[in-house]
Amino acid sequence: MKKTVFLFIVLMQLVFVGCTEKTKEPKAESAKIVEAPLTYLPFKTVSLADMSAFKEPSSNWQIVGDVYVDRSQKTTITSTAGTGVLVNTPAPKSRGNLFTNFEHGDIELEIDVMMPVGSNSGIYLQGRYEVQLFDSWGVKDVAFSDMGGIYQRWDDTKEEKGYEGHAPKINAAKSPGLWQHLKILFHAPRFNEAGEKIKNATFKEVWLNGQLVHENVEVTGYTRGTKLHEEKPLGPVMIQGDHGPVALKNIKYKLYGEERVTLSNVEMIEYDSGIDILPRFDTITPLRTVKTDSISAQMATGKRASKILVYSGNLDIPTTGDYTFDMEFLSAAGVLIVNKDTIVDYQLDKPSRFATVSLQKGQVPFKLIYNKISRYYIGLGLYVEGPNMEKHSLTAKQSYMPRIRNPKNDIFVEVEDEVIAQRSYFMHNGVKRTHVVSVGTLENVNYAYDLESGSLLKAWDGVLLDATPMWYVRGMDQLGVPNDFNISFNGGPEFAFLENEKSVWPDTIPAQVVQKQIGYKFDKSGMPSFTFKMNNTTIENKIIPVEGVRGLKRLIKIEGSEPIWFKIADGAQIKKLPDGSYIIKNENYFIDFPDENGTTPVIRNVNGRDELVVGLSAGNQSVTYNIIW
């Protein structure tokens, strides 16, 4: 019933727009709707075709085509000719830092970095405030000096000379030799007309490999290691070159000013929505009409009432250009109309949140329809990003407030003194898997295995599972949730009977293949092994921690009367490295064959993706390999 109400609203919103007009207005020329909505405006890219993007680079900096880190050697990186990768290889007489040609105040910076074993470098915002780059793989208790840390300040006159260092919230560092993604949202210090600092620099957000490691961290002054000892409104990005080797690529940024989109002449009309089918808006009586200076879901009146709030007014646009709008709802739906064009149509079954339009400087009319379908949830968020303008909210602070879980209700499954195998539902690539076993080891390296498909789903370290969704709010989701910092695998069939090496891998188990679960058993240490049959072929799969590193070893035994293929990994690109291991470029992990067991995998490309597969003949066969991340 609630869905029917909203779908009708979507159909009627055009009527609402034209309720006082007999003919439809033509689309305004200033509104250009992008067919494939962007979730954010494009970044500027630092060209790595040559060194022209940097000021007077010293010889330790070079542009190359690719890099390789030998994981058996400290602070060692080698490169191949080409373009697209920036590499620092310091030498005794060439250890210069690198500065960008552009200077910045507020900035959003994204960059991929690769750290050799034991290496050390840093990214300095405005050349003064450092986010640490360090090989912190496997570090248990991270400090400011670890990967993603905000480095400490230094004062020789103090008893404790180092101060104000900020450790990352978690260790999200990957293995040396893997590309790691860093995203920084930085707010520059502010100064008055006399040049006096009135506000400190702030790292609003720092993300490492998809994990938020800092939020709203103030720095009272420049951090240790910079040569720029005077804070200013602008400064270049500096990459440290005098410590250890490092490689960087995909450097992109947005520069932000202080201009914002604002609202003016806003009016809100409230309607009751607690009926099956809504009439035309011009045929029903509003509950109230009010002038307002803000947009907020909290303006819906009544306790646990279903309402429609219709806002209209002007968007005050400071600069001509493209603007991206983002709408969020809690158990609600809505429509955003700008210049009489419907740019966002958010439905519960097919939510479409984003739209990008070209707008002229000045006042632009808008209309926003918020359908508070649920009696129990209140939530409306409207955000905008524009030219040199950071994404910001157009709704009041209290308008969108998702339910925050009370930590007292948290239920975590943690390994203490024995291996744990926990059954649960499990989300993988947006699909709920119903026959999953998550295994936590004494080494705190964990994995999830799908009994139904016979495949590895994810791997992670730390806490085994957040089991709160299995119990909280009547346990409606029934989900076991791994740590956010994890690597995900294909999750489809890992074994297949192929006609030849070029056959397309099946997405599901083919109808002519009978797959049957035999079950799982535990060894003396508590580690399980999983067995299933595909036709007359028996496959046993055991997964254990790799000794001394963050990784998993897979031991697979196969007994069958016909040849079978095993897909070890797939990704956007798979490459064999000089040490014999394979790098999977997508989730970005290593596949390593530590034993001489006769396994000869093949890299093949099917439908634009690489696959690492191995063909196994009939009889008793085995495959052993490590997954390192």
Side-chain angles (χ1 to χ4, degrees):
M1 181 179 74
K2 291 177 180 177
K3 181 177 176 182
T4 303
V5 171
F6 174 64
L7 291 177
F8 189 82
I9 293 171
V10 173
L11 293 174
M12 291 300 296
Q13 55 89 13
L14 289 176
V15 176
F16 177 82
V17 172
C19 66
T20 60
E21 302 166 333
K22 299 301 182 184
T23 58
K24 189 178 188 302
E25 289 282 341
K27 290 184 178 181
E29 292 183 1
S30 60
K32 179 186 66 179
I33 300 178
V34 178
E35 292 184 2
L38 299 173
T39 59
Y40 53 82
L41 293 179
F43 285 76
K44 293 182 179 179
T45 301
V46 175
S47 173
L48 297 181
D50 53 38
M51 295 296 296
S52 61
F54 304 98
K55 298 177 183 176
E56 301 177 355
S58 52
S59 61
N60 50 301
W61 294 97
Q62 293 180 315
I63 299 295
V64 300
D66 202 359
V67 288
Y68 163 66
V69 165
D70 186 340
R71 288 176 287 143
S72 67
Q73 302 290 326
K74 284 192 173 184
T75 59
T76 300
I77 191 167
T78 57
S79 61
T80 55
T83 61
V85 177
L86 174 67
V87 64
N88 172 46
T89 50
K93 294 185 179 180
S94 183
R95 310 177 65 85
N97 299 326
L98 188 66
F99 296 86
T100 59
N101 285 329
F102 72 86
E103 293 194 335
H104 69 88
D106 293 359
I107 187 174
E108 185 172 352
L109 175 70
E110 294 198 29
I111 191 166
D112 291 334
V113 302
M114 183 184 290
M115 303 303 301
V117 177
S119 196
N120 179 2
S121 185
I123 302 288
Y124 286 75
L125 282 300
Q126 293 195 315
R128 298 174 177 90
Y129 315 97
E130 182 185 10
V131 174
Q132 173 78 336
L133 303 180
F134 195 79
D135 169 25
S136 299
W137 188 47
V139 173
K140 299 297 182 184
D141 299 315
V142 287
F144 67 86
S145 53
D146 282 300
M147 184 73 174
I150 297 173
Y151 210 77
Q152 68 180 358
R153 303 194 64 205
W154 192 265
D155 188 340
D156 282 319
T157 66
K158 290 187 175 183
E159 183 176 346
E160 190 162 339
K161 295 178 173 54
Y163 63 103
E164 280 190 13
H166 299 272
K169 292 181 179 181
I170 64 169
N171 185 1
K174 290 186 176 182
S175 166
L178 292 177
W179 286 107
Q180 308 192 56
H181 188 68
L182 192 66
K183 175 180 177 180
I184 303 168
L185 182 54
F186 173 82
H187 286 179
R190 299 291 193 261
F191 300 85
N192 62 19
E193 292 182 356
E196 299 165 330
K197 188 173 72 167
I198 57 175
K199 188 176 181 181
N200 288 322
T202 302
F203 287 93
K204 186 175 180 182
E205 294 177 356
V206 179
W207 297 76
L208 175 61
N209 296 323
Q211 304 306 300
L212 182 63
V213 294
H214 295 290
E215 188 172 20
N216 295 321
V217 175
E218 250 188 71
V219 282
T220 60
Y222 57 84
T223 58
R224 189 180 186 188
T226 181
K227 304 298 183 185
L228 305 178
H229 292 166
E230 183 181 356
E231 294 184 282
K232 291 185 177 181
L234 299 175
V237 174
M238 186 190 92
I239 308 169
Q240 193 172 49
D242 61 350
H243 279 46
V246 64
L248 309 99
K249 67 175 183 177
N250 298 330
I251 306 173
K252 56 184 183 179
Y253 65 95
K254 296 180 191 179
L255 303 181
Y256 294 135
E258 297 187 55
E259 288 186 328
R260 296 292 183 265
V261 174
T262 55
L263 306 173
S264 63
N265 301 322
V266 180
E267 180 182 79
M268 188 276 287
I269 306 176
E270 182 178 25
Y271 299 87
D272 199 333
S273 70
I275 53 179
D276 289 358
I277 298 296
L278 293 177
R280 288 170 56 104
F281 281 92
D282 59 346
T283 65
I284 60 174
T285 303
L287 297 177
R288 63 183 182 126
T289 300
V290 297
K291 297 290 185 180
T292 178
D293 59 0
S294 64
I295 298 172
S296 175
Q298 299 285 352
M299 292 184 72
T301 57
K303 186 177 181 181
R304 293 186 175 178
S306 297
K307 297 294 177 65
I308 300 172
L309 305 183
V310 179
Y311 290 90
S312 59
N314 294 322
L315 300 171
D316 295 331
I317 305 300
T319 305
T320 297
D322 288 344
Y323 288 79
T324 293
F325 291 86
D326 172 12
M327 293 184 73
E328 286 188 296
F329 297 93
L330 286 178
S331 295
V335 173
L336 177 62
I337 302 161
V338 176
N339 269 344
K340 299 185 180 181
D341 285 309
T342 301
I343 66 169
V344 177
D345 181 356
Y346 187 101
Q347 303 180 39
L348 290 177
D349 56 344
K350 293 181 180 179
S352 176
R353 289 176 45 186
F354 300 95
T356 300
V357 294
S358 293
L359 299 175
Q360 298 294 317
K361 179 180 179 179
Q363 291 190 328
V364 175
F366 81 94
K367 193 177 297 290
L368 187 155
I369 303 173
Y370 164 58
N371 181 21
K372 181 182 174 294
I373 296 173
S374 171
R375 296 173 57 199
Y376 303 98
Y377 294 93
I378 296 176
L380 161 65
L382 175 60
Y383 312 91
V384 64
E385 178 189 356
N388 297 319
M389 186 184 304
E390 186 180 333
K391 183 176 179 179
H392 58 283
S393 178
L394 293 175
T395 44
K397 187 175 182 180
Q398 304 298 319
S399 181
Y400 184 79
M401 296 183 65
R403 176 182 288 180
I404 299 175
R405 219 168 68 185
N406 189 334
K408 293 180 180 179
N409 298 319
D410 289 347
I411 302 171
F412 294 99
V413 181
E414 300 184 73
V415 175
E416 294 181 355
D417 54 6
E418 62 180 1
V419 174
I420 295 178
Q422 176 68 55
R423 290 286 298 267
S424 74
Y425 292 170
F426 196 95
M427 292 301 296
H428 183 264
N429 293 339
V431 177
K432 182 180 283 189
R433 304 291 183 107
T434 58
H435 296 74
V436 176
V437 177
S438 296
V439 178
T441 71
L442 297 177
E443 291 79 2
N444 285 319
V445 180
N446 317 308
Y447 67 89
Y449 181 86
D450 188 354
L451 294 169
E452 187 173 26
S453 63
S455 58
L456 183 63
L457 301 181
K458 286 183 181 290
W460 65 97
D461 59 356
V463 173
L464 174 57
L465 286 177
D466 178 357
T468 312
M470 298 172 66
W471 302 97
Y472 188 50
V473 191
R474 300 179 183 178
M476 293 180 66
D477 293 331
Q478 290 293 302
L479 289 172
V481 181
N483 278 352
D484 288 338
F485 182 48
N486 60 64
I487 56 171
S488 184
F489 308 102
N490 181 279
E494 295 182 336
F495 293 87
F497 300 105
L498 303 182
E499 290 186 11
N500 55 59
E501 183 181 312
K502 297 182 179 180
S503 299
V504 174
W505 202 273
D507 292 330
T508 58
I509 299 168
Q512 68 271 23
V513 175
V514 177
Q515 183 161 319
K516 178 183 178 182
Q517 293 298 323
I518 305 301
Y520 49 94
K521 59 184 179 180
F522 298 90
D523 62 18
K524 292 181 180 179
S525 68
M527 294 298 298
S529 57
F530 305 92
T531 304
F532 63 96
K533 292 189 72 171
M534 296 181 68
N535 293 343
N536 293 318
T537 298
T538 301
I539 300 166
E540 180 181 319
N541 191 344
K542 189 171 186 178
I543 305 169
I544 62 175
V546 177
E547 186 176 353
V549 299
R550 185 174 64 207
L552 291 171
K553 175 178 285 191
R554 295 192 71 175
L555 305 100
I556 296 171
K557 296 180 181 179
I558 300 168
E559 182 179 345
S561 58
E562 58 181 318
I564 193 169
W565 286 82
F566 173 39
K567 182 165 68 173
I568 298 170
D570 62 6
Q573 183 184 25
I574 298 177
K575 180 180 178 181
K576 188 174 183 179
L577 300 175
D579 63 4
S581 64
Y582 297 81
I583 187 168
I584 314 302
K585 294 186 177 180
N586 191 226
E587 284 293 342
N588 217 353
Y589 55 92
F590 294 115
I591 296 292
D592 184 21
F593 294 88
D595 304 319
E596 294 293 334
N597 53 20
T599 302
T600 306
V602 174
I603 300 173
R604 64 180 203 159
N605 187 276
V606 180
N607 296 328
R609 285 180 65 83
D610 281 355
E611 297 177 342
L612 186 65
V613 300
V614 59
L616 302 167
S617 58
N620 295 335
Q621 304 290 335
S622 65
V623 178
T624 301
Y625 66 92
N626 295 335
I627 305 167
I628 304 293
W629 72 96

